[in-house]
C-alpha cells in the first residue's frame, strides 16, 4: 500500500500549494460526494457557483496532498489561511478564495478519523522568518484516494499500452510518467513578474501586467523551448535508494554567513519539466532567470548523474559570469579567477565567492560571516578591502544592488543558448550560468554559449567544463561495486576478456543492476507513453 507514516517532522520540509494542480476526471464522483458533505457540514446552500468553487478547491487541496505524499511522505504542503495568495487572475486558475479554502481544510481536519494533520503557523525569531500553516494527509485520506485511483483508470489506452498504474507503481516509483493518469496541472503564465519587496516575509506575490510585444515574444520563445523539452526524458542515473534519500528531508545547514542553506526544491520528474521566467521588483529590467526545471534544485554534486533520454550528460558553465559581465561593461577583460585573493587559501574560495555576490547584490553594508568561516589572520574589514583591491576596475558597482540587473542580461544569454541548441536538435538544460547537454554535444554547446555571450555583452568569456560521469565510471569504486565487482582490477580483467567496453556498454551494465530498477522502469514507462515513433526519433529503442 502506498501510505507511509511520516518518520521525520521537519517544519521547514514543505512546499507551497500549487493552485493549478488537480486530480483527473476519474476522481469526479469522489469529489462531488465530499463536496456535498462539506456544504452540509458548513450549513451552506448548494447553489451552483458555490458547489463549483468548493469542488475546485477540494480538488486542488487533495491533489497536492496526494501527490506530495506519493513523492515524499515526510513533506508538508503549505496551505495559507490568509487571503494574500488567493488573488484572482492567471496564477489562480481554479479561482480559489480564502473562505472556501478554510471550509475545505476545516472539514478535512474535523472528520473522525481526520483526513489531515496540520502544524499551525508560527514565527521563527532566530531565523527572522514566518512559517504559514502546513498540512500532511493521514492514512485515511491516502487509502481512499488510492482506491479511487485504481478503480477509475481511463478505458482508453495510451499509445495502445494498457494503463500501468498499480500498487507497486504508486509505492515504489511515484515519479513514473504514468502519474499522468492521476494528476494534471493547469499552467500559470510562463513570464512572471514579482512585486517589489516590502520588508521580510514569505515569497513576494506575482502581479498582473499588461502584455507587451516583448513579453509576448518571450512567451512564444518559451513555448517552443518547453515543447522541445517536453519531448525528452530527464532522469538521474543513481541507485534507487540514493534517489529516495535525495528527494527526502534535507539537512538543516547554514552557510558561512549563518544564513540557512536553501532547502531542496521539489524534485518531481514528471510535473516539473517546464521552464518559466521570473522578473522582479515590478520591472522587466530586473531578474528574468529561468526556473521550473526539477534538475535545477538538486545539489551540484548530483548533476553529473543526469541523463537525457537515457544518455549521460555533460555540463559547461560560464566562468565568473556576473563579475566578468561587470568588467565587460567597463570595456575590460577579467583576468584569472574572480574569487581568488592573494594570500587567502584556496579552501576559502567559496566564502570569497559568496561575499562578492553579496557585495554586488546588496545596497549598503553586508553582514560579516562567522568568525570560524574566515581565513586565519584575516578580519572582515581586511577581507573586504582585499576583494575591492582585487576588483578595483569594477569597485564602483559594489553595494549598488546591480546584481538583479545582471540577471536580466544573463537570462537573455541563457535564452539564446537554448534556442540555438534547439535549432540544431540539441536539448540544453539551464542552471542559471551553466547548461547540461548529452555527452558528446559539448562542442556545439560551447559555440552556442560563446556566441550568445558575445551577442549580449560584446566580449568574450571563459567557459569551463564540469566533471562528467563517463570518465570516472571504471575508476569510481562505488560504481565498480554497483557493476558487481569487488574492485577495479577484477572489473578491468572482465572488461578485457569481453573486449574493450565502450561508453554505452558501461552505462547499460550499470543501469541493468538491481539497484537501478526504478530508474529503468521510469525510462521504459516514458517510452511507452511517447510511443514507438519517439523511440526511433531519439534512437532510444534499446
Amino acid at each position: 500500500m502506498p501510505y507511509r507514516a511520516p518518520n521525520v517532522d521537519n517544519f521547514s520540509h514543505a512546499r507551497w500549494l500549487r493552485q493549478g494542480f488537480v486530480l483527473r476526471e476519474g476522481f469526479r464522483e469522489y469529489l462531488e460526494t465530499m463536496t456535498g458533505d462539506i456544504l452540509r457540514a458548513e450549513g451552506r446552500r448548494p447553489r451552483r457557483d458555490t458547489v463549483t468553487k468548493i469542488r475546485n478547491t477540494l480538488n486542488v487541496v487533495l491533489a497536492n496532498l496526494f501527490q506530495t505524499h506519493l513523492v515524499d511522505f515526510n513533506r508538508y504542503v503549505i496551505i495559507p489561511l490568509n487571503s494574500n495568495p488567493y488573488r484572482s487572475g492567471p496564477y489562480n486558475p481554479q479561482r480559489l478564495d480564502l473562505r472556501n479554502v478554510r471550509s475545505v481544510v476545516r472539514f478535512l481536519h474535523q472528520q473522525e478519523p481526520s483526513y489531515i494533520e496540520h502544524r499551525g503557523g508560527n514565527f521563527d525569531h532566530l531565523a527572522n522568518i514566518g512559517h504559514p500553516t502546513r498540512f500532511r494527509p493521514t492514512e485515511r485520506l491516502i487509502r481512499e484516494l488510492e482506491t479511487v485511483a485504481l478503480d477509475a483508470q481511463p478505458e482508453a489506452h495510451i499509445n495502445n499500452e494498457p494503463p500501468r498504474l498499480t500498487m507497486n507503481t504508486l509505492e515504489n516509483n511515484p515519479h513514473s510518467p504514468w502519474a499522468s493518469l492521476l494528476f494534471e496541472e493547469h499552467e500559470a503564465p510562463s513570464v512572471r513578474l514579482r512585486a517589489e519587496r516590502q520588508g521580510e516575509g514569505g515569497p513576494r506575490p506575482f502581479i498582473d501586467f499588461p502584455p507587451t510585444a516583448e513579453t509576448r515574444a518571450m512567451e512564444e520563445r518559451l513555448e517552443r523551448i518547453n515543447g522541445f523539452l517536453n519531448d525528452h526524458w530527464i532522469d538521474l542515473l543513481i541507485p534507487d535508494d540514493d534517489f529516495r534519500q535525495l528527494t527526502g528531508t534535507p539537512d538543516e545547514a547554514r552557510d558561512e554567513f549563518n544564513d540557512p542553506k536553501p532547502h531542496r526544491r521539489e524534485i518531481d520528474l514528471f510535473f516539473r519539466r517546464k521552464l518559466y521566467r521570473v522578473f522582479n521588483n515590478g520591472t522587466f529590467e530586473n531578474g528574468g532567470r529561468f526556473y521550473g526545471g526539477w534538475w535545477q534544485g538538486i545539489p551540484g554534486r548530483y548533476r553529473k548523474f543526469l541523463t537525457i533520454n537515457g544518455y549521460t550528460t555533460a555540463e559547461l558553465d560560464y566562468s565568473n559570469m556576473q563579475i566578468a559581465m561587470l568588467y565587460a561593461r567597463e570595456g575590460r577583460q577579467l583576468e584569472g579567477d574572480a574569487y581568488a585573493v592573494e594570500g587567502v587559501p584556496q579552501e576559502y574560495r567559496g566564502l570569497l565567492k559568496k561575499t562578492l555576490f553579496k557585495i554586488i547584490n546588496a545596497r549598503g553594508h553586508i553582514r560579516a560571516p562567522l568568525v570560524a568561516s574566515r581565513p586565519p589572520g584575516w578580519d572582515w574589514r581586511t577581507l573586504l578591502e582585499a576583494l575591492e583591491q582585487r576588483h578595483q576596475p569594477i569597485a564602483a558597482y559594489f553595494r549598488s544592488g546591480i546584481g538583479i540587473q545582471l540577471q536580466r542580461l544573463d537570462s537573455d544569454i541563457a535564452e539564446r543558448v537554448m534556442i540555438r541548441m534547439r535549432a540544431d536538435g540539441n536539448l540544453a538544460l539551464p542552471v542559471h550560468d551553466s547548461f547540461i547537454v548529452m555527452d558528446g554535444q559539448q562542442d556545439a554547446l560551447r559555440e552556442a554559449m560563446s556566441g550568445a555571450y558575445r551577442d549580449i555583452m560584446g566580449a568574450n568569456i571563459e567557459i569551463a567544463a564540469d566533471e562528467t560521469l563517463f570518465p570516472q565510471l571504471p575508476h569510481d569504486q562505488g560504481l565498480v561495486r554497483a557493476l558487481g565487482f569487488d574492485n577495479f582490477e577484477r572489473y578491468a580483467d572482465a572488461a578485457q576478456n569481453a573486449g574493450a567496453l565502450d561508453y554505452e556498454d558501461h552505462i547499460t551494465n550499470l543501469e541493468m543492476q538491481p539497484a537501478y530498477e526504478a530508474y529503468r522502469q521510469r525510462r521504459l514507462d516514458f517510452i511507452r507513453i511517447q510511443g514507438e515513433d519517439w523511440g526511433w526519433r531519439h534512437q532510444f529503442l534499446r
Side-chain angles (χ1 to χ4, degrees):
M1 303 293 283
Y3 178 78
R4 288 164 290 175
N7 54 27
V8 174
D9 190 25
N10 184 333
F11 197 79
S12 298
H13 190 48
R15 71 166 176 80
W16 289 84
L17 185 78
R18 287 149 64 176
Q19 296 184 22
F21 196 74
V22 296
L23 298 164
R24 282 200 174 271
E25 184 66 21
F27 292 87
R28 173 173 285 273
E29 184 177 344
Y30 180 80
L31 292 171
E32 289 179 345
T33 299
M34 190 175 286
T35 296
D37 294 341
I38 293 172
L39 290 169
R40 285 188 290 274
E42 295 275 314
R44 297 171 64 177
R45 298 175 60 184
R47 298 186 308 186
R48 178 179 298 180
D49 63 333
T50 303
V51 172
T52 299
K53 289 180 178 180
I54 288 286
R55 185 180 63 238
N56 289 350
T57 303
L58 178 66
N59 193 351
V60 171
V61 170
L62 295 189
N64 276 266
L65 290 169
F66 191 21
Q67 197 262 351
T68 300
H69 180 82
L70 293 178
V71 172
D72 180 358
F73 57 90
N74 284 314
R75 188 184 290 266
Y76 285 96
V77 176
I78 298 172
I79 305 178
L81 298 181
N82 60 73
S83 59
N84 289 338
Y86 306 117
R87 301 176 180 180
S88 61
Y91 302 103
N92 185 5
Q94 298 300 106
R95 300 174 62 191
L96 307 185
D97 61 50
L98 180 59
R99 181 185 182 187
N100 292 317
V101 169
R102 286 180 169 173
S103 292
V104 167
V105 168
R106 184 163 46 241
F107 174 84
L108 294 174
H109 187 254
Q110 290 179 349
Q111 298 311 293
E112 196 60 49
S114 179
Y115 283 110
I116 55 176
E117 61 171 286
H118 85 288
R119 291 281 301 270
N122 63 27
F123 189 83
D124 185 339
H125 292 278
L126 180 63
N128 194 34
I129 187 171
H131 294 296
T133 309
R134 51 207 63 203
F135 301 85
R136 288 191 297 207
T138 63
E139 183 174 4
R140 178 185 182 184
L141 180 59
I142 296 302
R143 290 194 187 280
E144 287 187 14
L145 290 172
E146 175 204 40
T147 300
V148 177
L150 297 179
D151 289 343
Q153 294 188 52
E155 295 181 3
H157 295 176
I158 299 178
N159 288 311
N160 297 318
E161 285 281 345
R164 298 300 181 97
L165 186 60
T166 65
M167 300 281 193
N168 184 63
T169 301
L170 289 173
E171 182 174 8
N172 296 324
N173 210 1
H175 291 274
S176 168
W178 290 107
S180 60
L181 295 173
L182 294 179
F183 311 102
E184 61 182 327
E185 187 157 21
H186 300 280
E187 300 293 337
S190 56
V191 175
R192 308 179 186 182
L193 182 62
R194 283 199 187 279
E196 190 169 4
R197 182 177 294 280
Q198 300 290 335
E200 298 297 328
R204 289 165 290 163
F206 292 117
I207 58 178
D208 294 336
F209 58 87
T212 64
E214 180 185 36
T215 60
R216 289 192 186 97
M218 287 181 191
E219 290 171 345
E220 290 172 0
R221 292 191 293 269
L222 257 172
E223 184 177 356
R224 293 196 296 271
I225 290 170
N226 279 325
F228 187 58
L229 199 161
N230 200 49
D231 194 43
H232 296 73
W233 181 246
I234 299 100
D235 211 320
L236 276 170
L237 185 61
I238 59 177
D240 300 336
D241 287 344
D242 291 354
F243 186 90
R244 282 188 286 270
Q245 184 177 0
L246 172 65
T247 57
T249 307
D251 297 328
E252 292 287 346
R254 292 180 174 268
D255 66 12
E256 295 92 337
F257 288 84
N258 202 33
D259 293 328
K261 290 185 177 179
H263 295 295
R264 293 184 195 128
R265 300 173 191 170
E266 185 179 0
I267 299 177
D268 186 341
L269 270 59
F270 192 79
F271 290 104
R272 279 288 179 261
R273 294 194 298 148
K274 289 191 175 181
L275 299 171
Y276 55 88
R277 294 186 75 172
V278 176
F279 294 87
N280 294 288
N281 300 324
T283 173
F284 290 100
E285 298 305 313
N286 289 181
R289 283 182 166 176
F290 292 84
Y291 298 94
W294 66 265
W295 60 89
Q296 296 173 320
I298 63 175
R301 65 183 181 277
Y302 281 94
R303 290 210 290 265
K304 60 176 171 286
F305 296 99
L306 283 166
T307 59
I308 298 175
N309 300 337
Y311 296 97
T312 57
T313 57
E315 182 176 4
L316 302 183
D317 64 79
Y318 289 112
S319 298
N320 311 301
M321 188 177 189
Q322 287 202 338
I323 308 304
M325 293 168 76
L326 292 177
Y327 274 85
R329 280 191 165 203
E330 295 300 306
R332 306 282 292 270
Q333 185 73 31
L334 172 66
E335 301 293 339
D337 183 3
Y339 314 120
V341 169
E342 186 176 355
V344 177
Q346 175 67 19
E347 58 262 34
Y348 293 93
R349 183 180 186 276
L351 170 64
L352 295 177
K353 182 176 181 178
K354 288 180 182 178
T355 301
L356 200 50
F357 277 137
K358 284 179 175 287
I359 289 174
I360 65 173
N361 280 280
R363 291 185 179 276
H365 295 290
I366 63 173
R367 188 174 73 251
L370 298 170
V371 174
S373 300
R374 303 174 201 169
W378 289 79
D379 60 35
W380 179 228
R381 180 186 295 275
T382 305
L383 198 62
L384 286 178
E385 290 174 351
L387 271 174
E388 292 188 10
Q389 184 61 36
R390 164 72 176 88
H391 295 292
Q392 191 60 40
I394 60 169
Y397 296 107
F398 287 5
R399 303 177 185 85
S400 67
I402 197 173
I404 197 72
Q405 298 175 38
L406 298 178
Q407 287 184 17
R408 172 60 201 264
L409 296 174
D410 70 45
S411 64
D412 287 345
I413 292 169
E415 182 186 64
R416 292 196 179 208
V417 171
M418 289 186 285
I419 290 174
R420 290 185 183 191
M421 292 296 287
R422 175 185 175 276
D424 293 330
N426 301 324
L427 177 66
L429 303 176
V431 190
H432 303 323
D433 61 355
S434 71
F435 299 88
I436 298 163
V437 293
M438 287 186 189
D439 201 0
Q441 296 177 355
Q442 292 94 316
D443 289 344
L445 177 60
R446 189 181 298 276
E447 183 178 344
M449 290 173 67
S450 297
Y453 187 86
R454 281 195 301 271
D455 289 347
I456 299 294
M457 300 304 302
N460 295 318
I461 188 172
E462 291 186 12
I463 296 173
D466 291 341
E467 182 182 52
T468 62
L469 175 62
F470 177 58
Q472 65 171 320
L473 268 176
H475 302 288
D476 186 299
Q477 293 301 318
L479 293 174
V480 169
R481 284 192 294 273
L483 290 169
F485 297 92
D486 295 335
N487 53 54
F488 173 66
E489 287 71 24
R490 290 180 182 273
Y491 174 80
D493 290 342
Q496 185 174 8
N497 292 335
L501 291 178
D502 65 13
Y503 165 86
E504 292 193 10
D505 290 330
H506 281 294
I507 301 304
T508 301
N509 286 347
L510 185 63
E511 69 181 32
M512 292 306 294
Q513 300 304 308
Y516 294 82
E517 179 181 358
Y519 171 85
R520 291 196 305 274
Q521 193 60 53
R522 290 192 299 268
R523 177 171 59 84
L524 293 173
D525 287 347
F526 187 76
I527 296 172
R528 291 189 179 105
I529 289 176
Q530 295 296 319
E532 187 174 315
D533 289 345
W534 182 90
W536 286 116
R537 190 166 68 250
H538 291 281
Q539 299 180 352
F540 191 47
L541 289 176
R542 62 186 192 190

